[in-house]
Amino acid sequence: MSTSSAFNRRAFLGSAAALGAATLALPALGQEIDPATGAPVATGPAPQHNISSFRGQDWRPHFPNLTNGAILCDLTSRAVHFWSEDGNTYRVYPSSIPVSEDLVRTGRTEIIRKVDGPSWAPTPAMRERNPDWPEFVPPGPDNPMGTHALWLTWQYYRIHGTHDTRKIGRRSSNGCIGLYNEHIAELYNFTKLGTQVLVL
């Protein structure tokens, strides 16, 4: 066996073992998915900010308590973290983020409305930029908000699903935070009105 073949085999087996161990160590769905590519995260060549930010986080640096549960939308790693009020449930999901800095809003907010099967209407600013867009899209496969949406206290800002899975892990939204439909459905069920949200 050549040195190159031995190295490649060792690298493959090492990555597979590391990925298997990491999968066992982390508690939930979506935790071993690279938010930039949608591929499983292996130790080694993944971008450093994704390794450090996307994996398990401690809520304490970000929230004073877990009253009503807490959501952290990390724009750097393009990940959404959730902690339940009792601290027993933790999830992390890959997300889409706004396409440009002028559409980004950061800070503290909370969930004020939950909608299963949201409709969508572009904001006045979106209509100005895209006059050919429809004025209203009912719930369904053409709706850019996917299957579920969580309204925030900030006007026009949502955490919602998407039917276009290519958007996840990318700068692709008009200000909202997007998740895979299966992930927003799970997050929707975990959250309540008043769940704390921090976008940073």
Side-chain angles (χ1 to χ4, degrees):
M1 180 183 296
S2 71
T3 304
S4 175
S5 296
F7 174 78
N8 289 340
R9 184 172 183 274
R10 280 197 302 272
F12 171 77
L13 292 174
S15 295
L19 182 58
T23 301
L24 291 173
L26 289 171
L29 265 190
Q31 293 168 172
E32 290 301 307
I33 302 297
D34 185 320
T37 65
V41 173
T43 57
Q48 186 62 40
H49 70 270
N50 285 338
I51 291 172
S52 63
S53 300
F54 190 68
R55 293 219 178 144
Q57 288 271 4
D58 183 359
W59 61 269
R60 291 171 190 85
H62 309 292
F63 300 95
N65 55 58
L66 289 178
T67 301
N68 293 324
I71 294 173
L72 171 67
C73 300
D74 185 338
L75 302 179
T76 301
S77 64
R78 301 175 189 180
V80 171
H81 301 260
F82 169 78
W83 296 268
S84 62
E85 184 168 17
D86 62 11
N88 290 331
T89 301
Y90 170 74
R91 297 289 191 271
V92 58
Y93 309 105
S95 70
S96 64
I97 63 171
V99 294
S100 59
E101 289 301 318
D102 61 308
L103 296 172
V104 171
R105 180 152 186 186
T106 58
R108 295 187 184 279
T109 181
E110 66 182 56
I111 294 173
I112 58 169
R113 184 179 176 206
K114 298 173 56 174
V115 178
D116 181 347
S119 57
W120 177 79
T123 66
M126 289 179 197
R127 293 279 295 160
E128 189 174 320
R129 290 192 303 269
N130 306 279
D132 56 329
W133 281 10
E135 292 184 17
F136 177 82
V137 179
D142 296 325
N143 191 303
M145 290 182 48
T147 60
H148 298 77
L150 304 173
W151 264 241
L152 306 178
T153 58
W154 303 331
Q155 187 177 26
Y156 305 129
Y157 285 83
R158 317 274 188 263
I159 301 171
H160 62 77
T162 180
H163 298 295
D164 186 353
T165 58
R166 297 169 300 174
K167 292 184 173 184
I168 303 303
R170 301 178 182 276
R171 290 184 171 273
S172 59
S173 83
N174 277 281
C176 296
I177 303 296
L179 301 177
Y180 289 117
N181 280 331
E182 59 268 30
H183 292 166
I184 190 62
E186 183 175 78
L187 186 62
Y188 178 95
N189 289 327
F190 284 143
T191 57
K192 60 178 79 171
L193 299 186
T195 294
Q196 307 172 72
V197 179
L198 173 62
V199 182
L200 55 71

